[in-house]
Amino acid sequence: MDKRVTGLAEAVADIEDGVTVMIGGFGGAGSPIELIHALLDRHRATGHPRDLTLVNNNAGNGHLGLAALIEAGMVRKIICSFPRSADASVFNAAYRDGSVELELVPQGTLAERIRAGGAGIPAFYTPTSVGTDLARGKPVAEFDGRRYVQERWLKADVALVKAELADTQGNLTYRMAARNFSPLMCMAATQTIVQARRILAAGGIDPEVVVTPGIFVQKIVEVASPVQEEDLARAGAAYPLEA
Amino acid sequence: MDKRVTGLAEAVADIEDGVTVMIGGFGGAGSPIELIHALLDRHRATGHPRDLTLVNNNAGNGHLGLAALIEAGMVRKIICSFPRSADASVFNAAYRDGSVELELVPQGTLAERIRAGGAGIPAFYTPTSVGTDLARGKPVAEFDGRRYVQERWLKADVALVKAELADTQGNLTYRMAARNFSPLMCMAATQTIVQARRILAAGGIDPEVVVTPGIFVQKIVEVASPVQEEDLARAGAAYPLEA
Amino acid sequence: MDKLSNNQIAWRAAQDIADGAYVNLGIGFPEKVAQYQPPGRHAIFHTENGILNFGEAPAPGEEDWDLINAGKKAVTLRPGAAFFHHADSFAMVRGGHLDVAILGAYEVAENGDLANWSTGPKGVPAVGGAMDLVHGAKRVAIITDHVTKDGQPKLLRRCTLPLTGVGCVTRVYTSLAVIDIADGRFMLREKLPSLGLEAIQRLTGAELHRDGPVADLIVPEL
Amino acid sequence: MDKLSNNQIAWRAAQDIADGAYVNLGIGFPEKVAQYQPPGRHAIFHTENGILNFGEAPAPGEEDWDLINAGKKAVTLRPGAAFFHHADSFAMVRGGHLDVAILGAYEVAENGDLANWSTGPKGVPAVGGAMDLVHGAKRVAIITDHVTKDGQPKLLRRCTLPLTGVGCVTRVYTSLAVIDIADGRFMLREKLPSLGLEAIQRLTGAELHRDGPVADLIVPEL
């Protein structure tokens, strides 16, 4: 079972309007910028997809990646923990004019909700946010004399993820702190689309060091020299990138 | 911070009567047989610890490891998913005469309860066991039209775990399917005691391939040539082993 | 009476597993299904104790007891294998990532209920991963003799033994027939050509329905 | 008025971190605490985005933007570091495995409530990992100026801003004092020698209690 697709355009070709898309990364680390920009290219050519709900820790920086998706008008809602960044002007404007809805989730709760979505756990209790505005409207229960908030799983139609190594079966490794939310998002999405720096034959990754087993991955595309979003941002680049 | 202790006896010296002990392993794979037998040695010498609650997938095989703990009268209760084994006669007898209590937990629920204990999640919902005898007395709730059982976290005072490599800070790797419950138990126990085939200096394990980060580990002892419980059992060995 | 051997039942079940499918086989009899994959198809087998893409048993004497399946039998690895801990393993199960789980049964009911873990209050109970698998895999199929050793039906209106799962089974491969469960009814899809409809109905504890022709259940000698 | 610099507050907080402690430092000002570990002590620093045992910033030009902390600043690794995903990272946080989290504050109340994530409904809200940390770490300590830029107390009877956590703070290191929170009261432990009790009480929005001598808060020039 070879999960490779031939290119970035094919990788993102069947993402539909209105779907929920989880996007790996914490700031620039792990941001699958080539996949995101392929989605932007498709939108420029076809007007689709749009009305997306994005799930990420952040809400974009400068005029790249997530921020460029918002700027292109493709995004209806963002679920994240920290919409601030070095330059969050695109999100801030969209939030203020009401064109993008924000669901703010504590970072650990966001991670656990995504894991729960992948693990078939529809709800769990956490001490996080008890007694705060972010717990408003959520069930609260007491266990062993302490109060906890009930949180629901979070699933997605699609995950876009940046890996370091992949094999043809979809087993993945990541690079340093670029791992962050990606292994969880692979679990929680119906269709996980991965850009990997290198795709190896099955067996090319030691079974002991696989971080994401292939069962959680549907499509892989090789991006041999990925750019780092942070480098792009610091260089003042904006989507579309100069060729 | 060097977490090494000098020997097996020291490693298990402060396990008290009445505590809950999680023991890694699935059958023989991952069974920390040297740590368990050190605990048995201590009990032979001192009469302690006793009244233990054990958490493991199984309930012992032959007259080794878990089975030997039961046979020595050290065990009050076992929480497991599958008390059957090639020779479960020790557990079966203790269960039938009522000297050992059994809490039977579906295997995935057992794993998730232990993870929840380690992750600060006091309760979660699972579809597993809905409508069965094992859900009796547990709260049931409906999410998105489907019924789920509420399960509680499981924590322990002590975990006994067999690792392949450790470093002095307690970072661990495992060997093949000997991994099983051990990384979860390391998270869920107040005191995690590890036997490792080799203990390396800090930095001796690639940060990318650490399975259990050292924060979950309190004591490490090197057992350079561990025996495999399955090999012992097939050889008909019993505790105490011939020297 | 004419009936399929366990190998033949396993063979029939194997024909419905697609290339690349992620599959969990229950311990014991269901493990046989792995041997009968059609040529050119490669399912990826999952075992609860933390391996994806394991292969057949090693040669005698070559066993490594750290490399075992859920039945604690020695296995080997295939290219692309991965190890993971039990919580991740059951995330795969419970999270709906397995395409199919094939399990044995004491009883299956027309409402999809399954009893396969306990024969009642005497004896020592043991459940393993069965209750997780039946509510996790996208498709839960059963392989079983059509009747008990005493000739009593195992396919029933309602289970009499303690349940493993509620409304979870969608297909049953028996020694006599292939039967789907849909809308609370047994739908007969295939039967041994040598067996009449009444004969098979007599050996079944609930009504067998049809919504089209019943195909011949034809399997090779095994 | 005499007061500690941020570096000095960070130094004081660092003195209470034991050798081998697992520590999370909030982004911004609290990151300074790492620089002031007493000689011979080595805390192990955790960052929410999946690193344990990271070290100081690399030399300019040596940054690797896949190796960053929660504040998205470039860091380095120390021997014994480990990478892990976000769910494991917050298992460490929520599961009580961190010995101490040191955070900044807009307001701290005598009941241990903390407000440090939102200045109210205008502006774009952002929470990050703060709400997880305050109910996860074994000890939650705050470093802060004793008063706002406008000279208003930050230590209050009750927080007025949206809460980050309820009853979670146990010690506050300010520019003027070290104050414990116990049984719903501020307990003054240390204060600048140059400052009288009344002076510090005037700058505090709730009663300062004492259950023994108040030590001099003495820190080096930094």
Side-chain angles (χ1 to χ4, degrees):
Chain A
M1 179 93 170
D2 189 335
K3 296 179 180 174
R4 283 176 293 184
V5 296
T6 52
L8 287 159
E10 183 190 346
V12 301
D14 60 2
I15 299 175
E16 294 179 359
D17 289 353
V19 300
T20 295
V21 184
M22 292 179 174
I23 302 183
F26 184 90
S31 171
I33 197 87
E34 284 80 6
L35 282 172
I36 301 172
H37 287 180
L39 200 57
L40 277 153
D41 292 345
R42 197 184 127 210
H43 181 262
R44 279 158 69 94
T46 68
H48 303 281
R50 58 191 183 205
D51 293 324
L52 301 176
T53 294
L54 301 187
V55 182
N56 183 270
N57 188 65
N58 305 104
N61 185 19
H63 302 269
L64 294 160
L66 259 68
L69 292 172
I70 300 168
E71 203 161 23
M74 296 165 68
V75 180
R76 186 174 55 79
K77 179 178 177 182
I78 290 189
I79 302 174
C80 76
S81 90
F82 204 78
R84 284 185 208 138
S85 67
D87 172 12
S89 56
V90 170
F91 172 77
N92 288 350
Y95 176 74
R96 290 214 176 89
D97 73 18
S99 60
V100 171
E101 183 189 343
L102 171 66
E103 180 178 341
L104 192 73
V105 183
Q107 194 171 137
T109 297
L110 182 63
E112 192 67 13
R113 287 179 63 194
I114 297 169
R115 180 194 175 269
I121 303 290
F124 60 89
Y125 288 92
T126 174
T128 301
S129 91
V130 166
T132 75
D133 292 352
L134 296 189
R136 221 168 257 170
K138 293 176 180 169
V140 171
E142 194 171 305
F143 297 98
D144 308 331
R146 194 172 166 194
R147 288 187 311 146
Y148 296 86
V149 178
Q150 186 192 98
E151 295 281 357
R152 295 296 313 279
W153 62 14
L154 193 55
K155 299 190 188 203
D157 301 288
V158 176
L160 302 180
V161 160
K162 180 182 187 175
E164 176 64 6
L165 299 180
D167 71 13
T168 52
Q169 296 189 359
N171 292 302
L172 306 180
T173 69
Y174 301 88
R175 184 168 181 275
M176 300 199 283
R179 188 181 304 194
N180 57 69
F181 285 91
S182 296
L184 312 172
M185 292 176 168
C186 289
M187 295 168 67
T190 305
Q191 184 184 193
T192 293
I193 304 169
V194 176
Q195 64 168 81
R197 196 182 55 76
R198 210 168 140 212
I199 303 180
L200 306 169
I205 304 177
D206 179 354
E208 297 280 11
V209 309
V210 168
V211 176
T212 292
I215 192 171
F216 297 127
V217 172
Q218 280 68 46
K219 288 183 183 173
I220 327 162
V221 59
E222 188 168 284
V223 176
S225 301
V227 293
Q228 226 283 3
E229 185 182 312
E230 186 71 22
D231 287 325
L232 283 182
R234 284 172 185 254
Y239 175 84
L241 303 179
E242 309 290 323
Chain B
M1 180 93 168
D2 190 335
K3 296 180 180 173
R4 283 176 293 185
V5 296
T6 53
L8 287 159
E10 184 189 345
V12 301
D14 60 0
I15 299 176
E16 294 178 359
D17 290 352
V19 300
T20 295
V21 184
M22 291 180 174
I23 302 183
F26 184 91
S31 171
I33 196 87
E34 284 79 6
L35 282 171
I36 300 171
H37 288 180
L39 200 58
L40 277 153
D41 292 345
R42 199 184 125 210
H43 181 263
R44 279 159 69 95
T46 67
H48 303 280
R50 60 192 182 203
D51 294 324
L52 300 177
T53 294
L54 302 187
V55 182
N56 181 269
N57 188 65
N58 305 104
N61 184 19
H63 301 269
L64 294 160
L66 258 69
L69 292 172
I70 300 168
E71 204 161 22
M74 296 166 67
V75 180
R76 187 175 55 80
K77 179 178 176 181
I78 291 191
I79 303 174
C80 76
S81 90
F82 204 79
R84 284 185 207 138
S85 67
D87 172 12
S89 56
V90 169
F91 172 78
N92 288 351
Y95 176 74
R96 290 214 176 90
D97 74 18
S99 61
V100 171
E101 184 190 341
L102 171 66
E103 179 180 340
L104 193 72
V105 183
Q107 195 170 138
T109 297
L110 182 62
E112 191 67 12
R113 287 180 63 195
I114 298 169
R115 181 194 175 269
I121 303 291
F124 59 90
Y125 288 92
T126 173
T128 300
S129 92
V130 166
T132 76
D133 292 352
L134 296 189
R136 221 168 256 168
K138 294 177 180 169
V140 171
E142 194 170 307
F143 298 97
D144 308 331
R146 194 172 166 195
R147 288 187 310 144
Y148 296 87
V149 178
Q150 186 192 98
E151 295 280 357
R152 295 295 312 279
W153 63 13
L154 192 55
K155 298 190 187 202
D157 301 288
V158 177
L160 303 181
V161 160
K162 180 182 187 176
E164 175 65 5
L165 300 180
D167 71 13
T168 52
Q169 296 190 0
N171 292 302
L172 306 180
T173 68
Y174 301 88
R175 183 168 182 273
M176 300 199 283
R179 187 181 304 194
N180 56 70
F181 285 90
S182 297
L184 312 172
M185 291 176 169
C186 289
M187 296 168 66
T190 306
Q191 183 185 193
T192 292
I193 305 169
V194 175
Q195 63 168 82
R197 196 181 55 74
R198 209 168 141 213
I199 302 179
L200 306 168
I205 303 177
D206 178 355
E208 297 280 11
V209 309
V210 168
V211 176
T212 292
I215 192 171
F216 297 127
V217 172
Q218 281 68 46
K219 288 183 183 173
I220 327 162
V221 58
E222 188 168 284
V223 176
S225 300
V227 293
Q228 225 283 2
E229 185 182 313
E230 186 71 23
D231 286 324
L232 283 183
R234 284 172 184 254
Y239 175 84
L241 304 179
E242 309 290 324
Chain C
M1 191 191 72
D2 210 22
K3 64 168 219 166
L4 300 187
S5 68
N6 277 358
N7 284 347
Q8 290 173 310
I9 301 171
W11 180 90
R12 177 61 192 84
Q15 307 314 301
D16 288 347
I17 300 176
D19 185 37
Y22 290 93
V23 180
N24 184 294
L25 302 176
I27 70 180
F29 172 23
E31 292 178 38
K32 284 179 180 285
V33 172
Q35 301 165 33
Y36 298 113
Q37 291 185 80
R41 285 196 223 163
H42 298 282
I44 294 175
F45 294 101
H46 167 269
T47 181
E48 293 94 305
N49 56 313
I51 317 175
L52 206 55
N53 216 350
F54 66 95
E56 55 195 18
E62 300 287 304
E63 297 90 351
D64 183 324
W65 298 110
D66 286 346
L67 187 57
I68 57 175
N69 66 12
K72 303 189 178 79
K73 296 203 185 92
V75 297
T76 52
L77 294 182
R78 300 200 324 204
F83 296 116
F84 35 85
H85 61 53
H86 251 84
D88 281 349
S89 182
F90 280 90
M92 294 175 193
V93 172
R94 202 190 302 102
H97 303 283
L98 295 174
D99 293 297
V100 58
I102 300 181
L103 305 172
Y106 299 145
E107 298 174 344
V108 183
E110 64 182 355
N111 59 3
D113 288 1
L114 171 68
N116 77 347
W117 74 281
S118 168
T119 51
K122 59 191 174 96
V124 177
V127 64
M131 286 192 185
D132 306 278
L133 284 163
V134 297
H135 288 301
K138 287 174 194 153
R139 187 164 81 82
V140 175
I142 297 300
I143 56 174
T144 179
D145 216 307
H146 201 87
V147 295
T148 67
K149 282 175 186 158
D150 303 336
Q152 296 305 306
K154 299 182 79 165
L155 278 62
L156 306 171
R157 279 190 40 75
R158 291 294 177 269
C159 290
T160 65
L161 292 170
L163 294 184
T164 305
V166 172
C168 53
V169 177
T170 54
R171 177 162 268 210
V172 187
Y173 304 94
T174 80
S175 47
L176 307 180
V178 177
I179 295 165
D180 282 342
I181 295 176
D183 301 323
R185 308 197 299 179
F186 286 131
M187 304 300 297
L188 184 63
R189 299 299 184 201
E190 300 175 18
K191 66 169 186 59
L192 288 186
S194 58
L195 205 66
L197 286 172
E198 290 108 68
I200 191 168
Q201 180 63 71
R202 266 198 310 275
L203 297 166
T204 307
E207 191 177 351
L208 290 171
H209 298 265
R210 283 169 287 156
D211 58 3
V214 175
D216 285 342
L217 172 56
I218 295 173
V219 306
E221 292 298 319
L222 290 169
Chain D
M1 190 190 72
D2 210 21
K3 63 168 221 167
L4 301 187
S5 68
N6 278 358
N7 285 347
Q8 290 173 310
I9 301 172
W11 180 91
R12 177 62 192 86
Q15 307 313 300
D16 289 346
I17 300 176
D19 184 38
Y22 290 93
V23 180
N24 184 294
L25 301 175
I27 69 181
F29 173 22
E31 293 178 39
K32 285 179 180 285
V33 172
Q35 301 165 32
Y36 299 113
Q37 291 185 79
R41 285 197 224 163
H42 299 282
I44 294 175
F45 294 101
H46 167 269
T47 181
E48 294 95 304
N49 55 313
I51 317 175
L52 206 54
N53 217 350
F54 66 95
E56 55 195 17
E62 300 287 304
E63 297 90 352
D64 183 324
W65 298 109
D66 287 346
L67 187 57
I68 57 175
N69 66 12
K72 302 189 179 79
K73 297 204 185 89
V75 296
T76 52
L77 294 182
R78 299 198 327 201
F83 296 115
F84 35 84
H85 61 53
H86 250 85
D88 282 348
S89 182
F90 280 90
M92 293 175 194
V93 171
R94 202 191 303 102
H97 304 282
L98 294 175
D99 293 298
V100 58
I102 300 181
L103 305 172
Y106 298 145
E107 298 174 343
V108 183
E110 64 181 356
N111 59 2
D113 289 0
L114 171 66
N116 77 348
W117 75 281
S118 168
T119 51
K122 61 192 173 98
V124 177
V127 66
M131 286 192 185
D132 305 279
L133 283 163
V134 297
H135 288 302
K138 287 174 195 152
R139 187 164 81 80
V140 175
I142 298 299
I143 56 174
T144 179
D145 215 308
H146 201 87
V147 296
T148 67
K149 282 175 187 158
D150 303 336
Q152 296 305 306
K154 298 182 78 165
L155 278 63
L156 305 172
R157 280 190 40 75
R158 291 294 177 268
C159 291
T160 65
L161 292 171
L163 293 184
T164 306
V166 173
C168 53
V169 177
T170 55
R171 176 162 270 208
V172 187
Y173 304 94
T174 80
S175 47
L176 307 180
V178 177
I179 295 165
D180 281 342
I181 295 176
D183 301 324
R185 306 197 301 179
F186 287 130
M187 305 300 297
L188 184 64
R189 300 297 183 201
E190 300 174 19
K191 67 169 186 58
L192 288 186
S194 60
L195 206 67
L197 286 172
E198 291 107 69
I200 189 168
Q201 179 64 71
R202 266 199 310 276
L203 297 165
T204 307
E207 191 176 350
L208 291 171
H209 298 265
R210 283 170 288 155
D211 58 3
V214 175
D216 284 343
L217 172 54
I218 295 173
V219 307
E221 293 297 319
L222 291 169

